[in-house]
Amino acid sequence: MTRKARRSSNHSGRSPAIVTHISMSSKTTTIFLFVFLLLAIAAFGALFPSLPPLNVSTTPSISRHSRLSLGNGGERGFEIGDDKFWKDGEAFQIIGGDVHYFRIVPQYWEDRLLRAKALGLNTIQTYVPWNLHEPRSGEWVFEGIADIEAFLKLCQKLGFLVMLRPGPYICAEWDLGGFPAWLLGIEPSLRLRSSDPAYLQLIERWWGILLPKIVPLLYNNGGPIIMIQIENEYGSYANDKSYLHHLVSLARRHLGSNTILYTTDGGSRATLDKGTIPGANVFSAVDFTTGDDPWPIFKLQQEYNAPGRSPPLSSEFYTGWLTHWGEKNARTDASYTAIALETILSRNGSAVLYMAHGGTNFGFFSGANTGADESDYKPDLTSYDYDAPIKESGDIDNAKFRALQRVIKQYSTVSSPLVPPNNGRRRYGRLGMRKIASFFGVIETLCDPKDMIEADNPMSMESVGQMFGFMLYVSEYRPKENGSILSIPKACLKAQVFVSCASRDDGNLIYVGTIERWSNMALSVSNNNCVSNIRLFILVENMGRVNYGSFIYDRKGILSLVLLDGHILKGWKMFPISFQNLDKLLKINSIMQDADSIPVKPLFRKKLKSYSDITLKAPTFYEGHFKIDSVNQVKDTYLSFKGWGKGIAFVNGFNLGRFWPLVGPQCNLYVPAPVLKHGDNVVVILELDAPNPNLVVSSVDKPDFTCGSNRNQI
């Protein structure tokens, strides 16, 4: 019998044929039949243990052996039955939202959650990025912004339930979809998101660390977590059911058999066929484009859940959308979004807003997408505002927040708290920036000499343990009278090429050009009038690994041989640069005090006499200061990089992320107040292309997504 036939044939959970044979003439026969009835009902129930009564409006017919006493005669439990969610025996409608702890400084977790509370949400959904918690193999991080237990406990303190999405793949516009980049350096290569035994072994180790931390926080154990997701939109990627079943078994091993596991897939038969896990007692949720009619999709969802086990749930109701560098900032209409949400909630459907609050891709964690092929590379912005109702800075004084709040109030069973005011923001004015060092002049400050690697041919970042940031490749060759042609068949992503004469006293660097992933062109290199070897410098930037689709095996650095006039160039030194030693740069007095007297490391052999010796295209560090006179003046701000080219910015040593106003649309980087301090605040930027002619960065009080006159550069 098909799922559909089973669902419609019997609304009571009992066979209708049994209840017609109760009129017998003798008492003995009646007793006999009564006993027979009991046995038949028990046998039928054993055949369909997951089939609940569909016509009961109070509590579902489901197992209660995992419940805790509430102390008032009730029982604690979160369950599914009668095509509804049930919390402590009462029907429950999930009105949730994604708030990612790893995109918010911890000092603001409570602030953002209180704003989600004011929106009317009762549930918080969050991913768990593996690469944040295990940045290097066997190195575990659960402090600061990675303190997931503290975040989950805070959710509970504020009255939220939690839907947890531990992957191991999360997508999320996050570098490599949350996978640690060191997975790409393992040989033989792992088959990610598959039943590859070597890959599964690493997941078992990761979940073996993570999930025991989660167990005390499960709802049935007194915590806030009601559901845990298996993988993420797997039906859009592959169809390896063995892999999915292995994840379920692993989750059950740590979490027990009573925790609700769920999947999320696009609302089509093709994706649900591949992404759901039949026979594993895993709830299948759906997502779809905002504005699509949800109810035909929810009807399809029922086919992938056991009868009575399919409460309609959009686990990613999109309040906005992502934006890549070089695109117009994505915006969605507030009224349109609110109407779409009401279409779900008005018929007792559940929804999780993606995003309720987007936050920021601080540091180097922003991901990327691709188009038709892997060369069509689309890196994500540093801002993850997502046009969500709670803005990147936490602001809620906007049309979308008000529109969604009005809808949610109609269906929420609890009164919303007062809407908190927007956080204060402050303009600290114009910051004069001064050159403090050439990137090439401080290589051995940024890269510990013991971390330098030598090899015949270039190696990828992941192969040498470089997860984020930059890699500098250095080699030498004999010059030709008419110059040479340099080509790198595969360089990910952006490779800036410089040359110098190895024996020349001035150590002058000449900018040759840039080889980019999206326009991989050969470069003509002059001989620079060198009488000795030419030293070749190739600086490769990692702008974020692909986080979605078939091109997720996105290694960075130089990924092929380097050809010079068609011949392989051998003999390379590789310097990984992740900026973990930035504080050392700032402590070098000779750099801080005298910009014209920079000690050049043995990489150059000679001193650079002045900054004029280095082309304007050479990456350069700049520093600026601003003072905050009192503690109560420490407020959120934005740094405007209008007029600058491309680079990364630090405030008091905190990596704000990438700026690229030349391409846009993001002009400003968000600076949360907890990064600032009373007194002197230090801004350091690495400009990769060309600085602002006035060497000025402005502290402003608003975001700005209007940059990008040169969007055709991507």
Side-chain angles (χ1 to χ4, degrees):
M1 189 181 296
T2 65
R3 289 180 182 271
K4 185 174 182 180
R6 283 175 57 187
R7 186 181 301 113
S8 60
S9 65
N10 182 12
H11 284 246
S12 68
R14 297 181 171 87
S15 171
I18 296 176
V19 296
T20 60
H21 303 287
I22 59 174
S23 58
M24 305 295 289
S25 59
S26 71
K27 182 176 181 180
T28 303
T29 305
T30 301
I31 294 172
F32 173 80
L33 282 176
F34 180 75
V35 174
F36 177 79
L37 268 172
L38 293 176
L39 293 173
I41 292 171
F44 194 87
L47 290 174
F48 300 96
S50 64
L51 193 64
L54 303 183
N55 58 351
V56 179
S57 60
T58 55
T59 55
S61 175
I62 43 188
S63 171
R64 289 174 169 77
H65 61 272
S66 66
R67 290 184 170 180
L68 298 178
S69 171
L70 293 177
N72 56 2
E75 291 180 313
R76 181 182 178 91
F78 193 89
E79 301 150 324
I80 296 175
D82 301 348
D83 287 331
K84 298 176 183 177
F85 295 109
W86 297 84
K87 176 178 174 288
D88 306 332
E90 300 291 333
F92 185 80
Q93 185 178 31
I94 294 174
I95 306 177
D98 266 79
V99 177
H100 298 161
Y101 63 98
F102 47 91
R103 285 184 159 122
I104 310 165
V105 291
Q107 297 91 332
Y108 273 167
W109 284 347
E110 184 164 1
D111 175 86
R112 302 307 192 255
L113 291 173
L114 286 172
R115 294 167 193 276
K117 198 76 173 177
L119 184 59
L121 305 185
N122 57 31
T123 303
I124 295 297
Q125 183 172 249
T126 185
Y127 286 119
V128 183
W130 184 359
N131 55 7
L132 179 71
H133 296 285
E134 193 181 6
R136 297 185 181 276
S137 181
E139 177 185 314
W140 305 104
V141 179
F142 289 96
E143 300 84 32
I145 202 169
D147 192 346
I148 182 174
E149 293 170 277
F151 178 79
L152 296 174
K153 290 174 182 177
L154 182 58
C155 289
Q156 183 173 24
K157 172 189 170 184
L158 298 178
F160 288 108
L161 301 177
V162 173
M163 297 167 62
L164 195 67
R165 312 172 89 180
Y169 164 80
I170 66 170
C171 186
E173 291 72 63
W174 194 253
D175 188 84
L176 198 58
F179 283 130
W182 51 263
L183 294 179
L184 299 180
I186 294 175
E187 295 293 344
S189 297
L190 300 176
R191 288 184 292 113
L192 302 178
R193 307 184 74 186
S194 80
S195 50
D196 174 1
Y199 165 67
L200 293 180
Q201 187 176 14
L202 290 169
I203 294 174
E204 290 182 4
R205 186 181 72 178
W206 158 228
W207 276 11
I209 295 293
L210 174 68
L211 295 186
K213 296 177 182 292
I214 300 306
V215 170
L217 299 169
L218 297 174
Y219 191 79
N220 288 338
N221 292 336
I225 301 173
I226 55 172
M227 300 167 63
I228 291 185
Q229 183 173 292
I230 298 296
E231 246 275 353
N232 188 65
E233 295 180 324
Y234 190 70
S236 299
Y237 180 77
N239 190 23
D240 188 340
K241 296 296 186 184
S242 296
Y243 167 54
L244 295 178
H245 279 280
H246 186 91
L247 293 182
V248 171
S249 298
L250 182 58
R252 296 281 185 217
R253 186 191 313 166
H254 289 287
L255 304 174
S257 60
N258 298 313
T259 301
I260 297 176
L261 305 180
Y262 71 110
T263 57
T264 294
D265 286 287
S268 70
R269 191 174 297 279
T271 54
L272 288 166
D273 277 345
K274 294 186 292 183
T276 55
I277 314 174
N281 194 24
V282 175
F283 170 63
S284 303
V286 291
D287 59 31
F288 43 84
T289 301
T290 300
D292 286 354
D293 185 351
W295 291 98
I297 299 173
F298 289 145
K299 185 176 181 180
L300 176 65
Q301 176 195 0
Q302 287 184 318
E303 297 183 29
Y304 294 87
N305 286 304
R309 305 290 195 187
S310 192
L313 171 63
S314 171
S315 52
E316 289 190 12
F317 174 87
Y318 301 110
T319 60
W321 199 245
L322 61 102
T323 305
H324 303 115
W325 290 108
E327 296 177 348
K328 184 178 180 180
N329 191 39
R331 305 279 292 181
T332 57
D333 181 74
S335 297
Y336 181 84
T337 305
I339 291 169
L341 179 62
E342 186 164 22
T343 303
I344 296 173
L345 300 184
S346 63
R347 293 174 58 181
N348 204 34
S350 292
V352 181
L353 309 184
Y354 192 99
M355 300 290 296
H357 169 64
T360 309
N361 296 317
F362 292 118
F364 298 120
F365 278 110
S366 56
N369 292 100
T370 57
D373 57 67
E374 62 180 330
S375 65
D376 186 12
Y377 175 78
K378 302 175 180 181
D380 295 319
L381 300 184
T382 298
S383 171
Y384 199 63
D385 179 82
Y386 212 84
D387 197 25
I390 305 170
K391 298 303 178 185
E392 180 179 17
S393 64
D395 285 4
I396 55 179
D397 185 14
N398 62 79
K400 186 169 288 183
F401 184 93
R402 291 188 291 271
L404 292 174
Q405 185 190 49
R406 282 195 297 269
V407 170
I408 292 170
K409 275 186 175 180
Q410 299 177 52
Y411 305 99
S412 176
T413 58
V414 296
S415 58
S416 299
L418 293 176
V419 177
N422 287 341
N423 289 325
R425 293 198 298 267
R426 192 173 181 88
R427 291 177 291 178
Y428 296 106
R430 289 160 57 92
L431 286 66
M433 307 297 292
R434 70 184 187 99
K435 302 173 184 178
I436 58 170
S438 159
F439 178 89
F440 295 106
V442 291
I443 288 301
E444 291 189 10
T445 299
L446 297 172
C447 175
D448 192 310
K450 65 180 177 58
D451 293 329
M452 187 268 287
I453 302 98
E454 294 189 70
D456 282 346
N457 294 308
M459 301 170 67
S460 72
M461 289 185 176
E462 295 79 11
S463 297
V464 302
Q466 173 69 353
M467 303 303 113
F468 301 104
F470 298 76
M471 181 90 89
L472 177 64
Y473 297 82
V474 182
S475 187
E476 291 187 11
Y477 64 91
R478 294 291 301 173
K480 291 185 177 180
E481 182 177 351
N482 296 321
S484 298
I485 300 298
L486 175 74
S487 63
I488 308 175
K490 192 168 185 181
C492 296
L493 292 160
K494 182 178 180 180
Q496 292 177 283
V497 180
F498 302 84
V499 294
S500 71
C501 295
S503 62
R504 188 172 290 173
D505 289 342
D506 60 11
N508 192 21
L509 281 177
I510 301 297
Y511 173 69
V512 176
T514 299
I515 298 175
E516 296 171 319
R517 177 171 178 160
W518 43 87
S519 58
N520 197 347
M521 305 289 290
L523 296 177
S524 177
V525 185
S526 71
N527 64 20
N528 201 24
N529 295 319
C530 291
V531 295
S532 60
N533 280 357
I534 290 179
R535 184 167 288 147
L536 175 68
F537 302 86
I538 304 176
L539 180 63
V540 181
E541 178 187 5
N542 171 7
M543 289 176 56
R545 296 177 180 84
V546 171
N547 56 259
Y548 179 82
S550 59
F551 301 116
I552 197 171
Y553 295 88
D554 191 20
R555 295 174 179 86
K556 299 302 182 185
I558 296 178
L559 307 180
S560 65
L561 300 172
V562 174
L563 303 179
L564 196 68
D565 299 321
H567 300 286
I568 298 172
L569 180 61
K570 290 186 175 291
W572 291 89
K573 293 181 179 180
M574 288 156 278
F575 299 81
I577 311 293
S578 61
F579 299 102
Q580 293 178 345
N581 293 333
L582 186 67
D583 58 332
K584 293 184 179 179
L585 171 65
L586 299 179
K587 290 177 182 177
I588 298 177
N589 292 332
S590 59
I591 293 178
M592 299 298 291
Q593 295 172 1
D594 186 358
D596 291 330
S597 178
I598 302 173
V600 181
K601 298 297 182 177
L603 174 65
F604 286 86
R605 296 182 184 172
K606 304 292 182 182
K607 284 190 176 182
L608 299 176
K609 295 180 181 178
S610 71
Y611 274 99
S612 62
D613 292 329
I614 301 179
T615 172
L616 286 176
K617 277 286 188 178
T620 304
F621 287 99
Y622 297 83
E623 181 199 46
H625 295 251
F626 64 96
K627 187 176 181 181
I628 300 179
D629 293 328
S630 63
V631 173
N632 60 11
Q633 290 180 354
V634 177
K635 305 290 185 183
D636 289 357
T637 191
Y638 292 85
L639 292 183
S640 172
F641 289 92
K642 281 189 173 180
W644 293 82
K646 182 179 191 298
I648 55 176
F650 302 83
V651 174
N652 296 329
F654 182 86
N655 189 339
L656 296 177
R658 303 177 180 93
F659 62 86
W660 199 2
L662 192 65
V663 165
Q666 184 175 357
C667 310
N668 303 349
L669 293 183
Y670 171 57
V671 185
V675 171
L676 304 176
K677 61 184 180 179
H678 169 221
D680 186 49
N681 292 266
V682 183
V683 177
V684 174
I685 67 174
L686 172 63
E687 170 59 58
L688 297 169
D689 289 331
N692 179 304
N694 298 318
L695 296 185
V696 169
V697 170
S698 295
S699 168
V700 298
D701 60 0
K702 294 179 181 178
D704 186 350
F705 293 94
T706 63
C707 286
S709 60
N710 296 311
R711 286 182 186 147
N712 60 352
Q713 289 195 9
I714 292 188

